[in-house]
PDB file of all heavy atoms in Angstrom:
ATOM      1  N   PHE U  53     -11.815 -33.095  39.369  1.00 83.00           N
ATOM      2  CA  PHE U  53     -10.505 -32.743  39.156  1.00 83.00           C
ATOM      3  C   PHE U  53      -9.599 -33.916  39.721  1.00 83.00           C
ATOM      4  O   PHE U  53      -9.923 -34.498  40.779  1.00 83.00           O
ATOM      5  CB  PHE U  53     -10.080 -31.411  39.799  1.00 83.00           C
ATOM      6  CG  PHE U  53     -10.697 -30.180  39.135  1.00 83.00           C
ATOM      7  CD1 PHE U  53     -11.867 -29.639  39.499  1.00 83.00           C
ATOM      8  CD2 PHE U  53     -10.001 -29.690  38.068  1.00 83.00           C
ATOM      9  CE1 PHE U  53     -12.406 -28.497  38.840  1.00 83.00           C
ATOM     10  CE2 PHE U  53     -10.531 -28.614  37.362  1.00 83.00           C
ATOM     11  CZ  PHE U  53     -11.679 -28.116  37.700  1.00 83.00           C
ATOM     12  N   SER U  54      -8.499 -34.075  39.103  1.00 85.00           N
ATOM     13  CA  SER U  54      -7.506 -35.073  39.471  1.00 85.00           C
ATOM     14  C   SER U  54      -6.787 -34.365  40.686  1.00 85.00           C
ATOM     15  O   SER U  54      -6.597 -33.268  40.774  1.00 85.00           O
ATOM     16  CB  SER U  54      -6.595 -35.466  38.477  1.00 85.00           C
ATOM     17  OG  SER U  54      -5.897 -34.392  37.955  1.00 85.00           O
ATOM     18  N   ASP U  55      -6.341 -35.106  41.681  1.00 82.00           N
ATOM     19  CA  ASP U  55      -5.602 -34.694  42.803  1.00 82.00           C
ATOM     20  C   ASP U  55      -4.105 -34.797  42.554  1.00 82.00           C
ATOM     21  O   ASP U  55      -3.618 -34.812  41.472  1.00 82.00           O
ATOM     22  CB  ASP U  55      -5.901 -35.488  44.077  1.00 82.00           C
ATOM     23  CG  ASP U  55      -5.359 -36.899  43.947  1.00 82.00           C
ATOM     24  OD1 ASP U  55      -4.560 -37.232  43.066  1.00 82.00           O
ATOM     25  OD2 ASP U  55      -5.791 -37.801  44.848  1.00 82.00           O
ATOM     26  N   GLN U  56      -3.297 -34.400  43.599  1.00 77.00           N
ATOM     27  CA  GLN U  56      -1.773 -34.249  43.402  1.00 77.00           C
ATOM     28  C   GLN U  56      -1.092 -35.427  42.735  1.00 77.00           C
ATOM     29  O   GLN U  56      -0.312 -35.241  42.046  1.00 77.00           O
ATOM     30  CB  GLN U  56      -1.103 -33.936  44.768  1.00 77.00           C
ATOM     31  CG  GLN U  56      -1.465 -32.617  45.374  1.00 77.00           C
ATOM     32  CD  GLN U  56      -1.042 -31.506  44.464  1.00 77.00           C
ATOM     33  OE1 GLN U  56       0.020 -31.464  43.857  1.00 77.00           O
ATOM     34  NE2 GLN U  56      -1.937 -30.457  44.296  1.00 77.00           N
ATOM     35  N   ASP U  57      -1.795 -36.516  43.050  1.00 79.00           N
ATOM     36  CA  ASP U  57      -1.267 -37.821  42.370  1.00 79.00           C
ATOM     37  C   ASP U  57      -1.881 -38.181  41.075  1.00 79.00           C
ATOM     38  O   ASP U  57      -1.635 -39.256  40.510  1.00 79.00           O
ATOM     39  CB  ASP U  57      -1.379 -39.023  43.323  1.00 79.00           C
ATOM     40  CG  ASP U  57      -0.567 -38.818  44.653  1.00 79.00           C
ATOM     41  OD1 ASP U  57       0.563 -38.243  44.485  1.00 79.00           O
ATOM     42  OD2 ASP U  57      -1.052 -39.228  45.722  1.00 79.00           O
ATOM     43  N   GLY U  58      -2.715 -37.211  40.592  1.00 84.00           N
ATOM     44  CA  GLY U  58      -3.395 -37.624  39.362  1.00 84.00           C
ATOM     45  C   GLY U  58      -4.507 -38.423  39.560  1.00 84.00           C
ATOM     46  O   GLY U  58      -5.117 -38.791  38.451  1.00 84.00           O
ATOM     47  N   ARG U  59      -4.954 -38.679  40.728  1.00 87.00           N
ATOM     48  CA  ARG U  59      -6.104 -39.657  40.937  1.00 87.00           C
ATOM     49  C   ARG U  59      -7.430 -39.032  40.862  1.00 87.00           C
ATOM     50  O   ARG U  59      -7.547 -37.821  41.303  1.00 87.00           O
ATOM     51  CB  ARG U  59      -5.919 -40.369  42.282  1.00 87.00           C
ATOM     52  CG  ARG U  59      -4.761 -41.290  42.231  1.00 87.00           C
ATOM     53  CD  ARG U  59      -4.599 -42.007  43.694  1.00 87.00           C
ATOM     54  NE  ARG U  59      -3.241 -42.545  43.772  1.00 87.00           N
ATOM     55  CZ  ARG U  59      -2.993 -43.778  43.233  1.00 87.00           C
ATOM     56  NH1 ARG U  59      -3.983 -44.429  42.702  1.00 87.00           N
ATOM     57  NH2 ARG U  59      -1.747 -44.243  43.322  1.00 87.00           N
ATOM     58  N   PHE U  60      -8.459 -39.791  40.436  1.00 88.00           N
ATOM     59  CA  PHE U  60      -9.854 -39.289  40.412  1.00 88.00           C
ATOM     60  C   PHE U  60     -10.593 -40.564  40.669  1.00 88.00           C
ATOM     61  O   PHE U  60     -10.394 -41.578  40.461  1.00 88.00           O
ATOM     62  CB  PHE U  60     -10.102 -38.610  39.178  1.00 88.00           C
ATOM     63  CG  PHE U  60     -10.231 -39.477  38.017  1.00 88.00           C
ATOM     64  CD1 PHE U  60     -11.382 -40.093  37.593  1.00 88.00           C
ATOM     65  CD2 PHE U  60      -8.989 -39.823  37.223  1.00 88.00           C
ATOM     66  CE1 PHE U  60     -11.458 -40.922  36.497  1.00 88.00           C
ATOM     67  CE2 PHE U  60      -9.114 -40.774  36.189  1.00 88.00           C
ATOM     68  CZ  PHE U  60     -10.316 -41.278  35.757  1.00 88.00           C
ATOM     69  N   SER U  61     -12.006 -40.126  40.982  1.00 87.00           N
ATOM     70  CA  SER U  61     -12.856 -41.238  41.021  1.00 87.00           C
ATOM     71  C   SER U  61     -14.421 -40.781  40.917  1.00 87.00           C
ATOM     72  O   SER U  61     -14.639 -39.662  41.276  1.00 87.00           O
ATOM     73  CB  SER U  61     -12.710 -42.131  42.340  1.00 87.00           C
ATOM     74  OG  SER U  61     -13.474 -41.472  43.353  1.00 87.00           O
ATOM     75  N   PHE U  62     -15.183 -41.533  40.266  1.00 87.00           N
ATOM     76  CA  PHE U  62     -16.574 -41.333  40.128  1.00 87.00           C
ATOM     77  C   PHE U  62     -17.366 -42.370  40.833  1.00 87.00           C
ATOM     78  O   PHE U  62     -16.983 -43.575  40.644  1.00 87.00           O
ATOM     79  CB  PHE U  62     -17.061 -41.181  38.677  1.00 87.00           C
ATOM     80  CG  PHE U  62     -16.552 -40.042  37.958  1.00 87.00           C
ATOM     81  CD1 PHE U  62     -15.413 -40.140  37.153  1.00 87.00           C
ATOM     82  CD2 PHE U  62     -17.129 -38.800  38.132  1.00 87.00           C
ATOM     83  CE1 PHE U  62     -14.929 -39.121  36.431  1.00 87.00           C
ATOM     84  CE2 PHE U  62     -16.656 -37.710  37.340  1.00 87.00           C
ATOM     85  CZ  PHE U  62     -15.581 -37.924  36.544  1.00 87.00           C
ATOM     86  N   ASP U  63     -18.358 -42.111  41.690  1.00 83.00           N
ATOM     87  CA  ASP U  63     -19.203 -43.178  42.352  1.00 83.00           C
ATOM     88  C   ASP U  63     -20.520 -43.313  41.754  1.00 83.00           C
ATOM     89  O   ASP U  63     -20.959 -42.350  40.954  1.00 83.00           O
ATOM     90  CB  ASP U  63     -19.365 -42.879  43.826  1.00 83.00           C
ATOM     91  CG  ASP U  63     -17.911 -42.821  44.473  1.00 83.00           C
ATOM     92  OD1 ASP U  63     -17.041 -43.696  44.067  1.00 83.00           O
ATOM     93  OD2 ASP U  63     -17.755 -42.076  45.480  1.00 83.00           O
ATOM     94  N   HIS U  64     -21.279 -44.202  42.230  1.00 81.00           N
ATOM     95  CA  HIS U  64     -22.737 -44.296  41.851  1.00 81.00           C
ATOM     96  C   HIS U  64     -22.885 -44.367  40.372  1.00 81.00           C
ATOM     97  O   HIS U  64     -23.869 -43.640  39.844  1.00 81.00           O
ATOM     98  CB  HIS U  64     -23.531 -43.253  42.447  1.00 81.00           C
ATOM     99  CG  HIS U  64     -23.302 -43.053  43.916  1.00 81.00           C
ATOM    100  ND1 HIS U  64     -23.664 -44.142  44.809  1.00 81.00           N
ATOM    101  CD2 HIS U  64     -22.637 -42.013  44.635  1.00 81.00           C
ATOM    102  CE1 HIS U  64     -23.229 -43.685  46.125  1.00 81.00           C
ATOM    103  NE2 HIS U  64     -22.777 -42.602  45.976  1.00 81.00           N
ATOM    104  N   LEU U  65     -22.123 -45.017  39.595  1.00 83.00           N
ATOM    105  CA  LEU U  65     -22.281 -45.103  38.201  1.00 83.00           C
ATOM    106  C   LEU U  65     -23.216 -46.399  37.876  1.00 83.00           C
ATOM    107  O   LEU U  65     -23.059 -47.430  38.498  1.00 83.00           O
ATOM    108  CB  LEU U  65     -21.077 -45.165  37.403  1.00 83.00           C
ATOM    109  CG  LEU U  65     -20.131 -43.978  37.632  1.00 83.00           C
ATOM    110  CD1 LEU U  65     -18.850 -44.095  36.838  1.00 83.00           C
ATOM    111  CD2 LEU U  65     -20.779 -42.749  37.202  1.00 83.00           C
ATOM    112  N   CYS U  66     -23.803 -46.534  36.768  1.00 83.00           N
ATOM    113  CA  CYS U  66     -24.535 -47.598  36.301  1.00 83.00           C
ATOM    114  C   CYS U  66     -23.624 -48.228  35.172  1.00 83.00           C
ATOM    115  O   CYS U  66     -22.631 -47.816  34.701  1.00 83.00           O
ATOM    116  CB  CYS U  66     -25.825 -47.237  35.449  1.00 83.00           C
ATOM    117  SG  CYS U  66     -26.722 -45.874  36.396  1.00 83.00           S
TER     118      CYS U  66
END
Side-chain angles (χ1 to χ4, degrees):
Chain U
F53 284 93
S54 61
D55 65 15
Q56 290 302 317
D57 296 324
R59 286 174 198 280
F60 68 93
S61 81
F62 291 101
D63 298 327
H64 308 294
L65 300 180
C66 315

